[in-house]
Amino acid sequence: MASPTTAAATLRVLTHDCMVEGCDASVLLASTAFNKAERDADINLSLPGDAFDLVVRLKTALELECPGIVSCADILVVATRNLIVMVGGPFYDVRLGRKDGLVSEALRVDGNIAMTTMSLSQIISLFAAKGFTLQEMVALTGGHTIGFSHCKEFAHRLFNFSKTSPTDPLLEPTFARGLMKLCANYTQKPEIAAFNDVMTPGKFDNIYFKNLQRGLGLLSTDMMLATDPKTKPIVDLYAENQRAFFDDFAHAMEKMSVLGVKTGNKGEVRHRCDQLNNMQT
């Protein structure tokens, strides 16, 4: 359960949950014959199954002990925090009492989740609309210190990048050649992936930011952080000072974990995380 990939998976699922309709476990709901849920939106199809499995196991155990008390939203937030700590990241306080959302629609996802095809200005605007500062946005992106990305997310940097350069010149050349070899058949094998942090992929640390400075960033949106004058000073600070990164990441996670929280009759405590209570017989 405490594997780095599970930690990264759960962090990603939490982020995709909170950025759409708030932290209400709406991303955990399954689609029905009458509704295409958030988890089936195109950008969410690659969300890792082990995060969903973990929440289901925790919910099942809690329902046996105290049925109808702990929401799926609270479980996802606490599990993410604990897994981050288990792989070396900072502890931060988590407030409890969220209700699970009553709405989950795939069409509400677009425009709320950062995509690798976006410009930095678009990503900054997206986070600002949720109330995040530039510093908090960069700190949250540091969550890429664990986890991996599929080749399709960065293949445009490796093959036919421009008329003057087949690969993105911001990529360190040896790193670029290794990725080209890894992803050579990615269109036939879409499951091929690379670690976001090639140096310490299993540890939550600030090496991710040091990698960006050296051209070892996988995603173009991440590399932009190290080159744009608005964000480069923050990347440089975190590369130099892990404590500063941890403190800012912890603060930003506390802030994200209370986005759009549902309470009272705005939500419910689901018996099953993938179904609304009124859908169960």
Side-chain angles (χ1 to χ4, degrees):
M1 189 175 94
S3 77
T5 51
T6 304
T10 311
L11 174 57
R12 187 165 173 234
V13 170
L14 175 67
T15 302
H16 283 226
D17 183 43
C18 294
M19 295 294 276
V20 182
E21 301 296 315
C23 304
D24 63 354
S26 52
V27 77
L28 302 179
L29 285 170
S31 293
T32 67
F34 315 102
N35 180 60
K36 184 179 179 182
E38 286 175 30
R39 68 191 289 178
D40 287 321
D42 286 348
I43 195 172
N44 285 340
L45 293 175
S46 62
L47 287 177
D50 48 346
F52 292 94
D53 294 343
L54 172 66
V55 174
V56 167
R57 280 158 44 207
L58 292 171
K59 178 63 172 174
T60 301
L62 284 164
E63 284 296 299
L64 290 171
E65 292 294 323
C66 46
I69 302 297
V70 185
S71 68
C72 302
D74 275 354
I75 291 170
L76 180 57
V77 169
V78 175
T80 301
R81 190 273 311 276
N82 291 353
L83 284 164
I84 287 170
V85 172
M86 285 178 180
V87 295
F91 178 90
Y92 52 91
D93 291 327
V94 167
R95 284 185 265 176
L96 301 175
R98 296 166 191 78
K99 290 286 185 71
D100 296 321
L102 302 173
V103 175
S104 179
E105 297 177 351
L107 55 82
R108 300 188 183 211
V109 175
D110 275 0
N112 287 298
I113 304 290
M115 300 176 66
T116 54
T117 53
M118 287 181 172
S119 68
L120 185 58
S121 294
Q122 288 176 310
I123 294 173
I124 291 170
S125 296
L126 188 156
F127 275 85
K130 309 288 182 186
F132 291 104
T133 66
L134 194 63
Q135 190 122 355
E136 289 165 345
M137 183 205 78
V138 177
L140 287 172
T141 308
H144 289 166
T145 181
I146 50 176
F148 56 84
S149 296
H150 292 97
C151 289
K152 69 174 183 176
E153 299 294 344
F154 53 89
H156 64 283
R157 304 185 68 199
L158 305 175
F159 310 106
N160 305 312
F161 179 74
S162 71
K163 291 179 180 178
T164 56
S165 176
T167 59
D168 185 343
L170 292 177
L171 281 169
E172 195 278 328
T174 305
F175 182 52
R177 287 193 293 271
L179 290 176
M180 289 174 71
K181 187 174 181 181
L182 172 72
C183 298
N185 297 314
Y186 82 96
T187 51
Q188 285 80 38
K189 297 180 178 179
E191 71 279 4
I192 297 174
F195 288 117
N196 291 324
D197 176 354
V198 292
M199 295 302 181
T200 55
K203 186 179 179 186
F204 197 102
D205 55 24
N206 70 331
I207 301 299
Y208 159 81
F209 291 104
K210 294 179 185 288
N211 290 342
L212 294 185
Q213 293 175 322
R214 299 166 54 197
L216 300 177
L218 208 56
L219 304 174
S220 57
T221 44
D222 288 1
M223 280 303 303
M224 289 176 200
L225 299 177
T227 55
D228 190 282
K230 294 188 293 294
T231 50
K232 184 180 185 298
I234 307 172
V235 169
D236 293 344
L237 169 65
Y238 293 159
E240 179 69 26
N241 187 334
Q242 180 165 280
R243 173 51 54 197
F245 165 48
F246 276 21
D247 287 348
D248 288 354
F249 179 83
H251 169 75
M253 285 299 292
E254 282 186 58
K255 187 171 176 176
M256 186 175 76
S257 71
V258 295
L259 275 181
V261 165
K262 311 294 189 297
T263 57
N265 61 7
K266 299 279 180 66
E268 64 183 9
V269 176
R270 285 182 218 139
H271 304 305
R272 280 183 51 167
C273 291
D274 63 344
Q275 283 186 2
L276 296 175
N277 291 344
N278 65 8
M279 295 290 292
Q280 298 167 25
T281 56

